């Protein structure tokens, strides 16, 4: 299906605005986020996620889009992330 005319439902926009007002931001990966992101992944995700995050960071630093790894921050602290493989 075409996504050219897609827009998020109103409830998503409202939720995003509430989170933003509460100090939660979503941003693409940047090198300054490396250590906090790896610590978050280690503390919050069991299994192999630290390796996955490291490999994704390596690909980004080699030229892939930083948007393949998005971070959620609350008052500057990493509180979540989203990742995709291309």
């Amino acid at each position: 299906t075409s996504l050219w005319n897609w827009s998020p439902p109103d409830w998503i926009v409202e939720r995003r605005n509430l989170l933003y007002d509460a100090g939660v931001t979503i941003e693409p990966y940047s090198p300054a986020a490396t250590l906090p992101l790896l610590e978050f992944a280690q503390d919050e995700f069991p299994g192999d996620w630290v390796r996955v995050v490291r490999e994704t960071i390596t690909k980004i630093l080699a030229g892939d889009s930083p948007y393949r790894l998005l971070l959620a921050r609350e008052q500057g602290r990493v509180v979540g992330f989203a990742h995709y493989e291309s």
Side-chain angles (χ1 to χ4, degrees):
T1 186
S2 173
L3 298 176
W4 287 108
N5 295 319
W6 183 85
S7 61
D10 291 341
W11 71 269
I12 290 178
V13 174
E14 290 168 13
R15 179 69 174 154
R16 179 184 60 204
N17 292 339
L18 286 172
L19 288 169
Y20 182 78
D21 291 344
V24 176
T25 60
I26 305 297
E27 60 192 57
Y29 168 79
S30 67
T34 300
L35 186 56
L37 175 58
L38 290 172
E39 289 172 347
F40 174 80
Q42 182 175 357
D43 292 346
E44 301 295 331
F45 290 88
D48 211 20
W49 279 102
V50 171
R51 180 192 58 79
V52 170
V53 170
R54 267 196 224 118
E55 288 177 359
T56 303
I57 289 170
T58 299
K59 291 175 184 177
I60 291 169
L61 294 175
D64 277 1
S65 172
Y67 287 90
R68 68 182 297 145
L69 183 57
L70 298 175
L71 285 68
R73 290 184 180 255
E74 183 174 20
Q75 307 301 329
R77 185 174 61 89
V78 175
V79 295
F81 72 92
H83 155 270
Y84 76 89
E85 284 292 326
S86 54

